[in-house]
Amino acid sequence: MPFVRIDALRAAPERLEALGRAVYDAMRETIDIPVDDLFQVLTSHDGTSGTLRYGEDYMGVHRDDGIVFVAITMRSGRPPAKKQALYRRITELAQEYAGTEPRNVFVTLTENEPIDWSFGDGVAQYAAATAP
Amino acid sequence: MPFVRIDALRAAPERLEALGRAVYDAMRETIDIPVDDLFQVLTSHDGTSGTLRYGEDYMGVHRDDGIVFVAITMRSGRPPAKKQALYRRITELAQEYAGTEPRNVFVTLTENEPIDWSFGDGVAQYAAATAP
Amino acid sequence: MPFVRIDALRAAPERLEALGRAVYDAMRETIDIPVDDLFQVLTSHDGTSGTLRYGEDYMGVHRDDGIVFVAITMRSGRPPAKKQALYRRITELAQEYAGTEPRNVFVTLTENEPIDWSFGDGVAQYAAATAP
């Protein structure tokens, strides 16, 4: 269910794909998503028709053009400790798979509810699964 | 008010536009949005500078590169039955207008409040409309 | 912390950047964000591989292809008056910096919580800052 958008600057397809795998694997390990629960939009911006702007030192973290924005929409209910584990693991795997430095990984979460998902066939699968 | 992002792979402009119409018409029919309440970002990814990743069989639905991600932001308050009708109708019209198979239509909703919208001129129109 | 996506049609890099500055400066002035708290994805759509669709006269505001969609994710808690000031100021500065007419500025807000942000290094900085 998590729906993920990843945005990077001038990233080769292999790097985009490695970042996508990092986020998926981190979710599998830290927030208990099922196998194959993978829905991602990966975008490389060329700096002309699209670009990323960022504060170079906000919160005491130094960033550069290796920055990666990860925006995740998922169901509400994960406790803070799981979210913190998720951030940590995304960062570790982004470094391992894509060579992205931890300081360049930005993550934000937005939450919704089970009824807010349809995985195909026009059905709200999570709602149907729990309806009487 | 719904703000909609639609992402597809290697889609011709006509197909993108047909998907946009499918989502708009489905909203008109199922969740009572006014005429002309249309705000959409449609993106075709070329598989190189941008791509979509998806679980091929998550929740028992088989997907392929015909997949379409529909992410909708709208005001809270629609009951589950309306959301379910919306998913069903988007799927039907995506097939009718764009030839997209129902198994390839992914939808997710995120909700906010009336104060969270400005439709131009720097005004929060929905808030103003209900203010004393 | 606000995470901002700005989408426009056939915008030159200078115009995109000016729109980004307009939104950042407006936030600095109206909703008290710190210096350097800047995280933006700016996209120009060419009308072919990507496009924007909009209701030309919804809510009595006339729009054209100069339209700009501004989608902001930020922490909950800003009162309505601050949000209204934000819309007004974004619109004023978009006109001043980028020549965008006020009628063409669309803004929507989505809110989340302090735990929902990681600004790098795999840490939830806002949560850590307030934890005992």
Side-chain angles (χ1 to χ4, degrees):
Chain A
M1 140 217 59
F3 178 57
V4 177
R5 292 187 191 274
I6 300 176
D7 293 271
L9 274 169
R10 290 175 284 273
E14 297 72 26
R15 181 161 175 256
L16 280 185
E17 198 270 343
L19 290 167
R21 275 191 297 121
V23 173
Y24 172 72
D25 287 358
M27 287 179 165
R28 289 274 300 145
E29 292 179 30
T30 60
I31 59 166
D32 310 314
I33 64 163
V35 173
D36 223 21
D37 183 356
L38 167 67
F39 300 95
Q40 300 182 336
V41 179
L42 312 182
T43 306
S44 170
H45 299 269
D46 62 11
T48 303
S49 66
T51 197
L52 307 182
R53 297 177 78 234
Y54 52 88
E56 287 192 3
D57 293 292
Y58 184 63
M59 298 297 286
V61 179
H62 185 66
R63 301 169 188 84
D64 60 28
D65 281 358
I67 196 161
V68 176
F69 291 157
V70 180
I72 299 171
T73 304
M74 65 184 191
R75 284 186 292 181
S76 64
R78 263 88 183 185
K82 290 216 172 193
K83 292 179 179 179
Q84 288 169 310
L86 175 62
Y87 302 145
R88 200 158 42 237
R89 196 62 181 142
I90 287 175
T91 301
E92 290 170 357
L93 294 180
Q95 182 158 45
E96 184 180 328
Y97 296 175
T100 294
E101 291 184 66
R103 62 190 176 87
N104 275 325
V105 179
F106 172 97
V107 187
T108 185
L109 308 179
T110 307
E111 296 182 328
N112 62 9
E113 301 305 320
I115 188 66
D116 296 324
W117 298 87
S118 176
F119 297 96
D121 291 340
V123 176
Q125 280 88 351
Y126 287 162
T130 57
Chain B
M1 140 217 58
F3 178 57
V4 177
R5 292 187 191 273
I6 300 176
D7 294 271
L9 275 169
R10 291 176 283 275
E14 297 71 27
R15 181 160 175 257
L16 279 185
E17 197 270 343
L19 290 167
R21 275 191 297 121
V23 173
Y24 172 72
D25 287 357
M27 286 179 165
R28 289 274 299 145
E29 292 178 30
T30 61
I31 60 165
D32 310 314
I33 64 163
V35 173
D36 223 22
D37 184 356
L38 165 68
F39 301 94
Q40 300 182 337
V41 179
L42 313 182
T43 306
S44 170
H45 300 270
D46 62 11
T48 303
S49 66
T51 197
L52 307 182
R53 297 179 78 234
Y54 52 88
E56 287 192 4
D57 293 292
Y58 184 62
M59 297 297 286
V61 178
H62 185 65
R63 300 169 189 84
D64 60 29
D65 279 358
I67 197 161
V68 176
F69 291 158
V70 180
I72 299 171
T73 303
M74 65 184 192
R75 284 188 292 182
S76 65
R78 263 87 183 186
K82 290 216 171 192
K83 292 180 178 179
Q84 289 169 310
L86 175 63
Y87 302 145
R88 200 158 42 236
R89 195 61 181 144
I90 288 175
T91 302
E92 289 170 356
L93 293 181
Q95 182 158 45
E96 183 180 329
Y97 295 175
T100 294
E101 292 183 64
R103 61 191 176 85
N104 275 326
V105 180
F106 172 96
V107 188
T108 184
L109 308 179
T110 307
E111 295 182 328
N112 62 7
E113 302 305 320
I115 188 66
D116 296 324
W117 298 87
S118 175
F119 297 97
D121 291 339
V123 177
Q125 280 88 350
Y126 288 161
T130 57
Chain C
M1 138 219 60
F3 178 57
V4 177
R5 292 187 190 274
I6 300 176
D7 293 90
L9 274 169
R10 290 176 284 274
E14 297 72 26
R15 181 161 175 256
L16 279 185
E17 198 270 343
L19 291 167
R21 275 191 298 121
V23 172
Y24 172 72
D25 287 357
M27 286 179 166
R28 289 274 300 145
E29 292 179 30
T30 60
I31 60 166
D32 309 313
I33 64 163
V35 173
D36 223 22
D37 184 356
L38 166 68
F39 301 95
Q40 301 182 336
V41 179
L42 313 182
T43 306
S44 169
H45 300 270
D46 62 11
T48 303
S49 65
T51 197
L52 307 182
R53 297 178 78 233
Y54 52 89
E56 286 191 4
D57 293 292
Y58 185 62
M59 297 297 285
V61 179
H62 184 66
R63 301 169 187 85
D64 60 28
D65 280 358
I67 197 160
V68 176
F69 291 157
V70 180
I72 300 171
T73 304
M74 65 184 190
R75 284 186 292 181
S76 64
R78 264 88 183 184
K82 291 216 171 193
K83 292 179 178 180
Q84 288 168 312
L86 175 62
Y87 302 145
R88 199 158 42 238
R89 196 61 181 142
I90 288 175
T91 300
E92 289 170 358
L93 293 180
Q95 183 158 46
E96 184 180 328
Y97 296 175
T100 294
E101 291 183 65
R103 60 191 177 87
N104 275 326
V105 180
F106 172 96
V107 187
T108 184
L109 308 179
T110 307
E111 296 181 328
N112 62 8
E113 302 304 320
I115 188 66
D116 297 323
W117 298 87
S118 175
F119 296 96
D121 291 339
V123 176
Q125 280 89 351
Y126 287 162
T130 57

